Amino acid sequence: MEIHQLRYFVAVAELENFTRAAEQCHVTQPSLSQQIAKLERELDTRLLDRLGRTVVLTDSGKELLPRARRILKEVDAAEGWFKQPEGPEVVSLRVGALPTIAPFKLPTIVQHFRQEMPKVALTLVEDYTDHLLDRLLKGTLDVAILALPIEDARLQVEPLFREPLMVAMPPDHPLADKPAVSFSQVRQEPFVLLHEIHCLGEQILGFCRQQEFQPHVVCESAQISTIQEMIRLGVGISLLPEMAIDPDDTSCVYRPIRKIQPFRTIAAAWNRHRTSTPPQRRLLEILRQEDAALVT
């Protein structure tokens, strides 16, 4: 029993005519007749009787008709479910991001995504790099926004943009009126740094070591907002990602480092062995559009 045979049968039963049913189904009358005859042979029963130009249902046909209608209704509903522009009606997208990225990037991304795919159930996960990578590999995340390096052949990684790390200081600091600063100028300054539990904290310390500079760390924190508040209170200065700059907040100033500007590369990652979905592909398109300075 095949779907197109049931469509032909229902059309003939409703129109009571083979010719009109063939026209409605966009097939030739001989083809339609052959398929209905094949269906009858498979079911080993007569479904339709021809009475001159009229077609009537047999008792077996009357029994099959409501069942065939229900089957076709379910088939049509299933096809419509998968052919929506945003994919199936009830679909989810699970997005992970580092805590040093999520509060600065995700709100705008989510707003854009929700405008285009309002039916998609979106779940956001903020976690450390190792945890996000593990979730991608286990299939409990669809996409993660991370910082390079990411070294795992099972993951597809797409760099999005480079982000400078800036020296953050209170506005009354002696270096605040300079367009840029050097490591020699901040060598004796007290630093408030992001804890090494974050990959960014580890990257910042790694960069300092490469420049043979050991910051005088007076306090560590796991939250960028906490570090910014301590800078405002004069506890120390810091190195922070550019995306953390609030243009409306004048209680902190940010200056680039001369000569060798530290940066991190933000990337999107997903499991290359999992089937991508329309929401996942659209999210990646939005990420590319949101970041004008793409890595080449």
Side-chain angles (χ1 to χ4, degrees):
M1 188 184 303
E2 299 181 14
I3 297 299
H4 68 280
Q5 293 172 340
L6 293 179
R7 290 196 190 278
Y8 297 167
F9 165 72
V10 170
V12 173
E14 291 178 346
L15 296 174
E16 299 180 347
N17 184 278
F18 274 80
T19 300
R20 291 198 299 273
E23 291 173 353
Q24 178 178 289
C25 296
H26 305 290
V27 295
T28 64
Q29 182 177 333
S31 177
L32 181 139
S33 299
Q34 290 171 6
Q35 289 300 318
I36 290 181
K38 184 178 179 181
L39 176 62
E40 290 177 325
R41 288 196 299 272
E42 183 175 342
L43 297 176
D44 195 23
T45 185
R46 189 83 172 175
L47 300 173
L48 301 161
D49 284 332
R50 296 191 188 210
L51 303 178
R53 294 185 177 181
T54 303
V55 178
V56 297
L57 291 168
T58 65
D59 288 343
S60 295
K62 292 176 182 178
E63 179 67 24
L64 178 61
L65 182 60
R67 298 173 185 268
R69 283 172 172 160
R70 287 197 296 272
I71 292 171
L72 294 175
K73 183 178 180 180
E74 287 298 320
V75 170
D76 292 340
E79 290 180 347
W81 193 67
F82 283 100
K83 288 181 179 179
Q84 296 179 89
E86 67 272 27
E89 181 178 359
V90 182
V91 89
S92 64
L93 183 66
R94 299 157 299 180
V95 182
L98 295 175
T100 58
I101 296 175
F104 312 111
K105 278 292 180 182
L106 283 188
T108 302
I109 299 299
V110 169
Q111 180 189 39
H112 191 166
F113 182 86
R114 290 284 300 156
Q115 289 172 349
E116 297 194 20
M117 293 191 161
K119 294 182 180 180
V120 176
L122 194 60
T123 300
L124 304 179
V125 176
E126 295 182 44
D127 212 332
Y128 303 123
T129 299
D130 290 344
H131 296 170
L132 294 177
L133 296 179
D134 185 59
R135 286 172 176 262
L136 286 174
L137 294 174
K138 289 181 177 178
T140 58
L141 273 185
D142 300 305
V143 181
I145 306 171
L146 306 150
L148 297 183
I150 301 171
E151 298 177 356
D152 194 313
R154 295 169 293 180
L155 298 177
Q156 183 72 37
V157 180
E158 180 179 333
L160 297 171
F161 64 97
R162 284 184 173 184
E163 180 191 25
L165 304 180
M166 314 288 284
V167 177
M169 64 190 79
D172 58 353
H173 193 280
L175 298 174
D177 60 348
K178 298 184 180 299
V181 299
S182 64
F183 275 129
S184 62
Q185 290 175 307
V186 298
R187 189 171 295 275
Q188 303 303 321
E189 294 286 336
F191 271 79
V192 182
L193 289 185
L194 199 64
H195 197 280
E196 286 182 90
I197 193 172
H198 292 283
C199 64
L200 178 56
E202 185 178 357
Q203 288 172 343
I204 289 173
L205 286 176
F207 178 81
C208 291
R209 294 188 190 105
Q210 288 176 4
Q211 304 308 311
E212 298 181 348
F213 167 67
Q214 183 61 43
H216 173 47
V217 180
V218 297
C219 188
E220 292 182 329
S221 175
Q223 299 292 331
I224 288 180
S225 58
T226 304
I227 292 175
Q228 289 171 320
E229 183 61 28
M230 285 192 283
I231 293 171
R232 296 182 187 109
L233 295 175
V235 176
I237 67 174
S238 189
L239 276 174
L240 293 177
E242 187 178 49
M243 67 174 64
I245 299 175
D246 181 354
D248 298 323
D249 182 9
T250 59
S251 61
C252 280
V253 297
Y254 299 83
R255 297 292 181 262
I257 297 176
R258 283 199 293 266
K259 294 183 180 179
I260 303 176
Q261 178 66 51
F263 66 88
R264 64 174 176 170
T265 300
I266 306 302
W270 60 96
N271 193 322
R272 66 169 68 247
H273 300 298
R274 295 191 65 218
T275 302
S276 66
T277 63
Q280 178 182 336
R281 292 192 292 271
R282 186 62 195 123
L283 177 72
L284 291 171
E285 291 172 1
I286 291 172
L287 287 172
R288 297 175 189 122
Q289 293 168 2
E290 288 288 332
D291 301 303
L294 295 177
V295 175
T296 58

